[in-house]
Amino acid sequence: MGRRKNGLGTFTILPDGRYRMRLRMGFNNAGGARILTVTGTSETDCLKKMKKKAAEYENSPSTAGTSLIKKITVTELCNIHLNEHLSQKDRLKPKAADRRESTIKNQIEPYKIGRLQTSSVTSQDVSEHIETLLQEGKLSVSSVEKTFDVINAAFKWAENQYYIDYNPCSPVRDRIKNRLKNLKKRNSSEGIVVVLSDDQKEMLEKYVEEMDGTPVHRHLLGLSALLLMYTGIRVGELCALRWSDWSREGSTLNIGKTRNIVKDRTDSDSKYIANENSVKNYHSRTLALSVKAVKVLEKMYLINPKHGDDDYILINRRETPSNPSNYDANINKLYKEIGMPEGISGAHIFRRTKATALHSAGVSVENIASYLGDTQETVLKHYISLTKKVVAGGKVLNVVEIPVDVD
């Protein structure tokens, strides 16, 4: 059975005890991957032979693969690396592929580094690009870090495949990572968590109560906002909910899937398609519902024309499943109709509001994380961080003091 040696090549033990090593090296004339093969008495013997064969291949007049990699731009290298992963079954989830493609298109291609030849890029070029993104201030620190990760992964892949001899990201990786880590800490300590105040919650509840007689899709939007506020679930999880996920007898809601819109990478004419996946292990959960949440679901069931187990709880005006990509825009329109202040926007505020309510009620961080389907680290960092101010209705709701050590 084949196995990889430090990510370089695949080794197979033959029936006679010898070893066979296969290594992807450049491209053939048809544009596909070229595979080099050697046989030796041991892995070390194979590595020596492969090094010699790779050198011969590199210096061969007929060799185009490795030379081509060195001549292409950083943007092209990142796209080749992306396509390599897309060709591997289950390597990338559709949403992750879309995010990486977006990073290449928006944070690499338009910049100087994106136009540089792979072989000419220096560590200084990489550092300057990261600093440029930070100085522009258009991206979050996490997005800048993602950009570095995409560039570094592409160069590392090319280096591991012997396409290039040097990864310019390696010498500056630790310094860049530490700088970004410190920026995250600073931003976290200076940040403010905005949640809905009690008055704003009541405004939303009252408005939705008076939506009887409005178009079904509008009424369902209002009710779904209340469901988000009472449960703290993600919009993608909301859009994936079906009636079979709601247990009336047990007053529970099963959160097992998420729904989003991704780029259609098939041969069809569609540009984007709906994608539904199971949530990650720590995201999957069954929630005990409050009385208010149960009443919202009962109302949604009453006005929704579709009640089959596989029918979606939230549908749009075409009576098809709603999608997260449209939800924030629609919820912001609802905020304007209600008269919410400008600082209230997007659906994620409901998740922060639920986390804050649970924390204020004395629920442990561990249980809050379990209910929200998130890690304790994320809950502390983004929802109830000890260094953040939690603001509701323009007022500081609570500032949690750091406990003093007790001897």
Side-chain angles (χ1 to χ4, degrees), residues 158-185:
E159 184 182 36
N160 285 347
Q161 298 298 327
Y162 293 149
Y163 296 154
I164 59 175
D165 303 319
Y166 169 71
N167 177 3
C169 297
S170 295
V172 294
R173 179 187 179 281
D174 289 344
R175 179 169 61 80
I176 288 175
K177 285 288 187 178
N178 285 332
R179 172 154 164 67
L180 296 175
K181 181 180 180 181
N182 290 333
L183 283 174
K184 285 182 181 179
K185 287 182 179 179

Side-chain angles (χ1 to χ4, degrees), residues 59 64 100 128 159-160 178 189 193 214 251 260 308 320 343 369 379 387 391:
N59 297 323
R100 194 196 295 187
E128 287 179 357
E159 184 182 36
N160 285 347
N178 285 332
S189 64
V193 174
T214 59
S251 294
N260 48 47
T320 58
V379 170
T387 56
V391 176

Side-chain angles (χ1 to χ4, degrees), residues 124-157:
Q124 183 65 25
D125 292 325
V126 176
S127 294
E128 287 179 357
H129 180 59
I130 297 304
E131 284 302 317
T132 296
L133 294 179
L134 290 172
Q135 292 302 320
E136 285 181 349
K138 299 176 182 178
L139 301 172
S140 66
V141 177
S142 294
S143 294
V144 175
E145 184 175 31
K146 177 64 177 176
T147 303
F148 174 77
D149 289 341
V150 168
I151 296 172
N152 180 45
F155 272 104
K156 186 175 181 180
W157 168 77

Side-chain angles (χ1 to χ4, degrees), residues 344-407:
I344 305 301
S345 66
H348 202 64
I349 194 170
F350 296 125
R351 192 164 169 81
R352 298 194 297 267
T353 299
K354 181 63 177 180
T356 301
L358 290 172
H359 185 253
S360 298
V363 179
S364 69
V365 173
E366 180 181 5
N367 287 337
I368 293 173
S370 179
Y371 195 87
L372 294 181
D374 231 322
T375 63
Q376 294 183 51
E377 179 184 9
T378 298
V379 170
L380 279 171
K381 184 176 180 181
H382 296 292
Y383 303 138
I384 54 173
S385 173
L386 301 180
T387 56
K388 278 194 172 100
K389 292 181 180 180
V390 179
V391 176
K395 299 180 181 179
V396 175
L397 185 64
N398 65 331
V399 178
V400 184
E401 295 182 357
I402 299 175
V404 179
D405 290 337
V406 178
D407 293 331

Side-chain angles (χ1 to χ4, degrees), residues 212 219 223 294-304:
D212 286 341
H219 198 174
L223 289 166
V294 170
K295 287 183 178 179
V296 168
L297 282 168
E298 288 174 344
K299 185 70 173 181
M300 294 180 79
Y301 186 85
L302 180 65
I303 67 174
N304 193 320

Side-chain angles (χ1 to χ4, degrees), residues 161-264:
Q161 298 298 327
Y162 293 149
Y163 296 154
I164 59 175
D165 303 319
Y166 169 71
N167 177 3
C169 297
S170 295
V172 294
R173 179 187 179 281
D174 289 344
R175 179 169 61 80
I176 288 175
K177 285 288 187 178
N178 285 332
R179 172 154 164 67
L180 296 175
K181 181 180 180 181
N182 290 333
L183 283 174
K184 285 182 181 179
K185 287 182 179 179
R186 189 183 74 184
N187 292 347
S188 177
S189 64
E190 295 174 352
I192 295 176
V193 174
V194 178
V195 300
L196 294 177
S197 67
D198 289 340
D199 289 343
Q200 289 164 350
K201 291 180 190 177
E202 291 178 7
M203 285 173 63
L204 177 60
E205 290 171 334
K206 183 177 180 181
Y207 188 86
V208 175
E209 281 181 10
E210 297 174 353
M211 290 183 76
D212 286 341
T214 59
V216 170
H217 72 280
R218 291 288 301 159
H219 198 174
L220 284 174
L221 174 69
L223 289 166
S224 71
L226 294 181
L227 187 62
L228 290 177
M229 186 169 70
Y230 297 149
T231 61
I233 63 176
R234 301 173 178 83
V235 173
E237 294 169 342
L238 166 70
C239 293
L241 285 176
R242 302 172 190 249
W243 291 117
S244 58
D245 294 317
W246 174 33
S247 170
R248 294 193 178 195
E249 295 78 11
S251 294
T252 60
L253 191 63
N254 182 57
I255 309 298
K257 290 186 177 182
T258 186
R259 182 179 174 87
N260 48 47
I261 297 298
V262 298
K263 185 175 181 179
D264 186 1

